[in-house]
Amino acid sequence: MYVRNFSLALVSGLVATGGWYAYKGTPSSTTDNRASTSQAGSLPGPSQLSNTITSNNVYSSSSQAVPNGVTAEQAAESTRRALVVENDQFYTHDIVGDSPLSKVTDDAGRKVLEMLTPEQASHKLRRNEESYLVGRGRGVVRYDVVQIPSNDPIEDDHAEKIVEVPQSVAATQDGSSTSDWMFWGVFDGHSGWTTSAKLRQVLISFVARELNATYKSALTDPSLMFPTPESIDAAIKKGFLRLDHEIIYESVDKVLKANSKRVAAELLAPALSGACALLSFYDSKSRLLRVACTGDSRAVLGRRGASGKWIATPLSEDQTGGTPSEMARLRAEHPGEENVVRNGRILGGLEPSRAFGDSIYKWTKETQDRMKSSFFGRTPSQLLKTPPYVTAEPVVTTTKMEPEKGDFVVMATDGLWECLTNEEVVGLVGQWLESQASNSLGNGSSNGSSWLKSWFSNSGNALPVEKAGVMETTKGGQRTPVRQVQWSVNGSDERFVVEDKNAATHLVRNALGGRDTDMVCALLTLPSPYARRYRDDLTVEVIFFGEGDKSGNVVQNPDASASTADFRAKL
């Protein structure tokens, strides 16, 4: 089997450009917009940024209100925006003058940060964006990726691979010598980054190995030629479970055999943290897309409806302690344990009901006590009785893709779905496609955009998507975007904007405020750990299906990727 690995560059932990800033000295008069909040951790909307706080809330960086040699008129011209973080509230205000700010906390215990400008915010949004043009001529034409950290380091990760499969592994119906297996994965880590990093490194390989065996086995049976759908699903599940078994149980055996804390630190790290996994597998021969979901990341299909608008169809179900089907499964597996799910969380602690790692919910109490006393570990829950409570076994869905209709799929960690609904995400990609098609026609550019088609002319600011009813919204495990409530977001489509050439970046910008540049700048200014109170790590992939060129190459799309200076080799 010939494997081409198009794994994207790792994203290191990032902090806000502004850093920590505070004023010291004699109080100065500054304009300050206070955003008082009604609940802990809520972000002010534009209408709340109108109150004024007294001058002693902010301190200037010198003993004078205006720096020496600078007139009031000159100072007014050099006004900058600032952000004050205090407990679970923050305020915006103006900084008069251009003096540098000291890296200290003020006397009131607040953090004063210089707010990113819209240009700096855009740079931060685009710093890790990547886009690839897929010239395989086998149903996929492009995919875009972006990551925005909230934690430091970021706990999300992702991986992509295209595997060229010869006829000796998978027979082809059109007589071609090869077909493609394409994989895209997003991994949402929690309690650390090590489990998601492990998934980035090896999950696709574990699954591909099982698929390879399954497809080869089918070739030996004249009555089959192709594997059954059930056997393909089973192969994917086997790959997931084998990797988690290695992380959780084989690591313990190796640590006990080595009897070394250095070995334990390396091998137990992916077991002690955890990660949700969302993996898509596209077989170009059958044009079937399988989505394997372990946890609460989500995949959504965008497809044209008869009206010309896009229809959003979830390809996965959020698996949490609050999902009815997951609650029923857990109670059936652990009869008599009323706290197996408490407050929508496993044993009252972990929200995802399926995940890799998370040994505290899988090891026996004896194993946990032994690991903690001799090596590394955590104190087991007092509610622990019959582990394991959490499984890495995915739920697999299968969808027949229609590249000729311009299908696309959005895969993202729950940080995106906390901000936007399925319909908003699909509508935003539809809006982006219309904008890209218009720009391509207007400037005569054909840089990998021949697959773009302007199927639907959207009038006004309404997103080109069929709106779901209340019952449809909750179907498929979709939860209400909690950040929209926290931030008091106006549900109007007028809040959205198109400014980016990368579709994934376009989604993240609009998830963080869109047209409200103050909100976008504020959310991107906040450093870790404060940022986590208002938003999660964000990892988004958008995969475009269509009939593209047949060059056989997969190349970076420079128009929608960060500077090539920041890139590592892809092939």
Side-chain angles (χ1 to χ4, degrees):
M1 182 183 298
Y2 182 62
V3 180
R4 287 178 179 161
N5 184 345
F6 300 101
S7 300
L8 303 184
L10 276 176
V11 180
S12 60
L14 306 174
V15 295
T17 302
W20 299 84
Y21 294 96
Y23 286 70
K24 288 197 307 183
T26 305
S28 67
S29 176
T30 57
T31 304
D32 201 282
N33 298 320
R34 177 163 184 158
S36 58
T37 57
S38 58
Q39 57 180 350
S42 62
L43 178 70
S47 62
Q48 295 173 282
L49 302 176
S50 57
N51 298 328
T52 302
I53 62 175
T54 59
S55 60
N56 61 0
N57 284 328
V58 181
Y59 298 83
S60 71
S61 56
S62 69
S63 59
Q64 296 177 316
V66 179
N68 288 328
V70 179
T71 66
E73 291 76 10
Q74 290 172 324
E77 291 177 359
S78 60
T79 296
R80 294 170 289 164
R81 298 285 284 165
L83 199 66
V84 182
V85 182
E86 180 180 14
N87 297 325
D88 287 320
Q89 304 177 6
F90 64 71
Y91 328 105
T92 63
H93 65 82
D94 293 331
I95 306 171
V96 177
D98 57 3
S99 298
L101 306 181
S102 57
K103 200 173 183 181
V104 189
T105 301
D106 78 356
D107 294 337
R110 291 169 292 219
K111 321 298 185 230
V112 182
L113 302 90
E114 185 171 356
M115 200 151 109
L116 297 179
T117 65
E119 293 76 19
Q120 290 171 328
S122 290
H123 175 74
K124 187 169 184 177
L125 281 170
R126 297 168 183 165
R127 182 182 298 170
N128 302 304
E129 68 180 4
E130 300 188 29
S131 176
Y132 293 92
L133 303 175
V134 184
R136 305 288 297 167
R138 290 172 174 169
V140 174
V141 293
R142 171 174 168 168
Y143 62 87
D144 291 3
V145 190
V146 77
Q147 282 194 306
I148 302 294
S150 173
N151 296 293
D152 180 18
I154 188 170
E155 295 180 345
D156 282 5
D157 225 315
H158 62 92
E160 299 77 28
K161 280 187 182 179
I162 296 178
V163 181
E164 192 173 67
V165 185
Q167 281 187 328
S168 60
V169 175
T172 56
Q173 294 172 316
D174 58 3
S176 59
S177 59
T178 63
S179 59
D180 281 351
W181 290 351
M182 302 185 185
F183 297 90
W184 301 270
V186 295
F187 314 121
D188 185 358
H190 46 262
S191 301
W193 56 269
T194 52
T195 313
S196 60
K198 179 78 171 180
L199 299 186
R200 169 182 51 81
Q201 293 171 341
V202 298
L203 178 59
I204 292 176
S205 297
F206 268 69
V207 171
R209 186 183 308 139
E210 300 301 330
L211 289 170
N212 181 50
T214 299
Y215 274 73
K216 277 188 172 180
S217 177
L219 287 177
T220 63
D221 187 342
S223 65
L224 283 178
M225 193 171 190
F226 301 107
T228 63
E230 294 78 14
S231 65
I232 297 175
D233 290 355
I236 295 172
K237 293 178 181 180
K238 189 175 181 180
F240 273 57
L241 291 172
R242 277 195 167 179
L243 175 54
D244 194 54
H245 188 273
E246 178 182 293
I247 292 171
I248 293 296
Y249 302 109
E250 293 179 26
S251 63
V252 171
D253 294 338
K254 292 176 181 177
V255 166
L256 293 176
K257 184 177 180 179
N259 194 29
S260 162
K261 285 196 174 184
R262 182 188 62 79
V263 172
E266 178 181 349
L267 294 181
L268 294 182
L272 295 174
S273 59
C276 300
L278 183 68
L279 183 70
S280 290
F281 162 55
Y282 177 69
D283 184 348
S284 68
K285 175 189 61 183
S286 64
R287 295 202 165 182
L288 292 177
L289 180 77
R290 283 179 166 82
V291 175
C293 180
T294 292
D296 57 3
S297 296
R298 189 185 306 167
V300 176
L301 168 69
R303 175 172 289 170
R304 289 283 182 182
S307 67
K309 293 184 177 181
W310 297 92
I311 297 173
T313 304
L315 303 182
S316 63
E317 179 181 55
D318 299 355
Q319 299 158 355
T320 71
T323 305
S325 59
E326 288 295 283
M327 290 177 65
R329 177 182 65 82
L330 285 161
R331 296 196 185 283
E333 291 176 356
H334 304 275
E337 294 186 52
E338 59 178 307
N339 289 315
V340 64
V341 177
R342 188 170 70 177
N343 299 325
R345 294 175 177 268
I346 313 307
L347 302 185
L350 182 67
E351 187 170 25
S353 53
R354 302 186 188 223
F356 284 84
D358 288 319
S359 58
I360 195 171
Y361 297 96
K362 297 176 181 177
W363 284 341
T364 63
K365 185 178 185 301
E366 292 73 23
T367 299
Q368 295 195 45
D369 288 340
R370 186 173 183 182
M371 290 297 103
K372 182 181 179 183
S373 62
S374 301
F375 304 103
F376 303 98
R378 299 172 182 168
T379 303
S381 169
Q382 294 182 349
L383 301 176
L384 188 82
K385 294 180 180 178
T386 58
Y389 294 93
V390 175
T391 178
E393 181 177 356
V395 174
V396 182
T397 64
T398 304
T399 304
K400 182 75 171 182
M401 302 307 293
E402 299 179 1
E404 67 279 3
K405 290 188 176 180
D407 288 353
F408 62 82
V409 171
V410 178
M411 301 171 58
T413 54
D414 66 336
L416 181 73
W417 309 110
E418 288 178 351
C419 304
L420 298 169
T421 66
N422 291 354
E423 289 70 33
E424 287 171 340
V425 165
V426 168
L428 281 165
V429 176
Q431 178 192 57
W432 180 88
L433 283 168
E434 287 296 316
S435 174
Q436 297 303 300
S438 298
N439 292 340
S440 178
L441 291 172
N443 59 28
S445 171
S446 60
N447 182 19
S449 59
S450 59
W451 55 276
L452 285 170
K453 297 178 182 178
S454 185
W455 297 74
F456 174 78
S457 296
N458 185 29
S459 59
N461 294 314
L463 295 178
V465 64
E466 298 285 355
K467 301 295 185 180
V470 176
M471 293 299 293
E472 293 175 313
T473 298
T474 56
K475 200 162 69 174
Q478 179 178 348
R479 294 168 289 173
T480 301
V482 64
R483 303 297 181 184
Q484 291 191 7
V485 178
Q486 182 184 13
W487 302 342
S488 303
V489 169
N490 177 359
S492 169
D493 289 349
E494 293 182 358
R495 72 185 193 272
F496 300 127
V497 67
V498 182
E499 294 184 6
D500 302 284
K501 294 183 178 181
N502 183 298
T505 307
H506 168 69
L507 288 176
V508 171
R509 180 187 296 276
N510 284 287
L512 299 182
R515 197 176 298 277
D516 186 348
T517 54
D518 264 356
M519 180 177 283
V520 174
C521 293
L523 286 169
L524 291 173
T525 297
L526 287 169
S528 177
Y530 290 95
R532 188 61 187 87
R533 301 178 185 177
Y534 304 96
R535 62 177 179 85
D536 200 351
D537 293 331
L538 287 152
T539 300
V540 181
E541 296 212 31
V542 185
I543 307 154
F544 296 99
F545 293 79
E547 305 296 345
D549 69 81
K550 299 182 180 180
S551 65
N553 299 321
V554 179
V555 299
Q556 178 194 328
N557 174 14
D559 291 341
S561 299
S563 170
T564 53
D566 298 328
F567 274 77
R568 298 186 298 181
K570 302 301 169 192
L571 301 182

